[in-house]
Amino acid sequence: MNKRDRPFTPIQKNDSSDNLVFHMKNRMRSIKYKPVDYQQLHALTEAKKLAAASTELKIRKAVRTSKISKEQTLIQQHRQVWWQEHQRLAEVRCKMESEIKSFLNEENIGNECLSDLMNFAQELSEQWRMYVKNVINPIQQLRADLKYRRHDIAQRSHSPTELDSVKVLEEVDFVKKQLKDVFERLSLEQQKLENYLSDWSINMLGHDSEERSNLLSELPMELETLECPYPDLKSSIFNEFCNFTEKYQKKLQDFNLQLEDIYRNFLLSEEDHWIYQAVLGQYPGDLCGRRTLCLDMLQRYFPHKSRHALVEHEKYCDQYHFAREQRRILISNWTKNRRDFIQKAVLTLAEACAAHEMESALAKDRKKQQELCADLKAKVLQWRAHQEEVARLEMEIAARRREKQKEKEKLWKKKELLQREEQKEKIRKYWAKKEQNWQEMEMRDLRRLEELKKIMAEQSVKDRERVNYRQQLLAKRLMEKKEAALQEAHGQEERERRLEALRKQVAIVAQFDPVRMMSDTMASKARMGIGTEEEFILQKPLFTLNTYNEQQIISDPRLRFELALREAGLHKTFYAKEMLPKISPQKPPRKDMESTVFKI
């Protein structure tokens, strides 16, 4: 079917779908649309999916490995601390046991209390031997029996009978019930002992606090036993002592109330607080990263508590320890001042007694005795003033310390604000300087651009002259080639004429075959695609490219330097713009192809 015999169909060139329908209806062959190998595309998609899944698995594995390594590092540090603490406790235990043994055996032989303790230790050892004999040894024997039966069954390679297995299970369940009862009794006994010890410690602490309060409230026996001929002096000393003790009692009550308030704010129970203190005691103060290790261990002990709660509890504990230290300092100061007061009072009373003796012996010197009494009273008043001043100074020192702590916090906050403002000011100056540099660069680039335009205009004139010269040379070469071609054509005609004469001399007469003469040759059939099948290659490129390969492009130092800058995020900086034109390629370009764009 020729093209003239086909029906006329209007074709819209803008619609690609109509062109495709037209080609498909009329069975017109097109090199633009080719069949798609969906199986190969599915295989490529699956390969991409597998590669992405393997990459994701590697990333997860790397994250998990980093977490495990971090955890192992922390555990190793914990183990070092635990081992050091274990050695220290073992040494302390050995030392205490040796001291107790030497104390029991040598120093206090025959003491009733110590003999009771030794008897109690013997009873405990007897109970432990009975416990090992009645509980632990049967369990170990049952365990060894079960291991032997298992080994025997494995060697005989046959299953045990149902009756034997039932008996063994019944025996194991019976032993488990007995152990459960024993452990319940032991836990109850342990709880009773712990409650008894806690009540005893609370009673001891209450007794100590009562004794301290009684010491603060009652008058010293040294002053009560002394005799003073002047009751006013003695009463003034007692009143001064009462005022002196009342001030310390008020301060002590304030510290006790402060300790109670802080203790009520604790976020952990008593048992958890004891564990908290034990964990902190394991890690020495000079250990590097002590707080991190302590918080990590506390989070392991208290997984139900957040890190913020543990930090808050740590703050309250520090406040509690600080208040207790202040309370201890107050009590020590009170003890020291009480001792000094008693010594001064005893001296004053002794001086009063001596003065009274002198007054009774020397009645004539009564006026002198009165002056002496006034002097003594003045000393007492002066001492009272000194004590009041000491108390006032202590209160002022404590207040100044609190104010200093508050001022430190305020200064720290102000310092942070000033640092932030300084950083913002530095950033503004940096951007202003950068903007100025950009403007200078822009002005310099504009000047350079004008110079380059002038240079390029001059170069264009030279290029036109060079092009005209090259065109003349080309025309001359073409003329020479034409003359050479004409000479070669004349020589070829002469050679053909001689060859034709030779062919005529040796010519062969062939038979007449018009069918073969009019039919297509094999070469023409192959060229037209008759009798052959085109092999479709999906990945075959449409055009052959004559350019650089990947290795040649990657070997260029300019490209590698630009890739490094891009990875570092510096490819848009002034440094990159300044350094990229200075890098020369591996092979210098030709002089006529050299670029002058980047020259400054």
Side-chain angles (χ1 to χ4, degrees), residues 192-401:
K192 287 179 182 179
L193 289 173
E194 288 178 355
N195 293 331
Y196 174 73
L197 291 174
S198 63
D199 295 337
W200 182 74
S201 63
I202 290 169
N203 292 329
M204 289 296 293
L205 291 173
H207 182 66
D208 292 339
S209 62
E210 288 178 0
E211 286 182 354
R212 287 177 181 175
S213 61
N214 292 329
L215 285 173
L216 286 171
S217 61
E218 67 182 8
L219 294 171
M221 294 297 293
E222 294 87 348
L223 297 178
E224 289 182 355
T225 55
L226 291 175
E227 295 181 358
C228 182
Y230 305 105
D232 295 336
L233 179 61
K234 192 170 184 178
S235 62
S236 65
I237 290 172
F238 286 159
N239 292 331
E240 184 63 27
F241 182 79
C242 291
N243 295 330
F244 167 68
T245 53
E246 282 178 1
K247 291 178 183 178
Y248 278 99
Q249 281 181 350
K250 288 181 181 179
K251 290 182 182 179
L252 187 62
Q253 288 176 1
D254 293 337
F255 279 118
N256 290 332
L257 291 174
Q258 186 178 359
L259 288 172
E260 290 177 0
D261 293 338
I262 295 171
Y263 188 77
R264 280 195 296 269
N265 291 327
F266 279 179
L267 301 177
L268 298 178
S269 60
E270 291 183 1
E271 185 176 357
D272 293 344
H273 182 65
W274 183 83
I275 294 171
Y276 174 83
Q277 289 180 340
V279 170
L280 289 183
Q282 289 179 359
Y283 297 88
D286 57 348
L287 182 65
C288 183
R290 177 180 181 272
R291 192 167 184 272
T292 304
L293 294 174
C294 289
L295 287 176
D296 181 68
M297 182 53 60
L298 289 172
Q299 285 180 346
R300 294 175 188 272
Y301 272 108
F302 309 116
H304 57 281
K305 295 289 184 180
S306 63
R307 184 183 179 90
H308 179 70
L310 293 174
V311 172
E312 287 292 327
H313 184 74
E314 182 184 6
K315 183 176 74 174
Y316 288 131
C317 287
D318 293 339
Q319 293 177 0
Y320 186 80
H321 291 315
F322 179 74
R324 283 193 66 181
E325 185 66 20
Q326 293 295 320
R327 183 176 178 273
R328 186 188 64 77
I329 292 169
L330 177 68
I331 292 171
S332 65
N333 290 334
W334 171 78
T335 306
K336 182 181 177 181
N337 293 332
R338 180 176 179 272
R339 186 172 60 251
D340 296 339
F341 181 84
I342 291 170
Q343 290 177 0
K344 289 180 181 179
V346 169
L347 291 174
T348 304
L349 292 175
E351 290 177 358
C353 291
H356 181 68
E357 289 177 358
M358 289 174 67
E359 185 181 1
S360 61
L362 302 172
K364 295 179 181 181
D365 297 334
R366 190 173 299 274
K367 187 178 179 180
K368 188 177 180 180
Q369 293 292 336
Q370 290 177 357
E371 292 177 357
L372 182 60
C373 290
D375 189 14
L376 292 173
K377 192 174 181 180
K379 287 181 179 180
V380 172
L381 292 174
Q382 186 181 3
W383 181 84
R384 182 178 179 180
H386 287 322
Q387 292 298 322
E388 289 178 354
E389 187 177 0
V390 168
R392 182 177 59 79
L393 289 174
E394 288 179 353
M395 292 177 68
E396 288 179 356
I397 288 167
R400 279 198 298 272
R401 286 179 181 175

Side-chain angles (χ1 to χ4, degrees), residues 530-544:
I530 300 173
T532 59
E533 294 183 358
E534 290 184 357
E535 184 179 358
F536 176 71
I537 300 172
L538 182 63
Q539 300 297 333
K540 183 179 179 181
L542 295 175
F543 307 98
T544 57

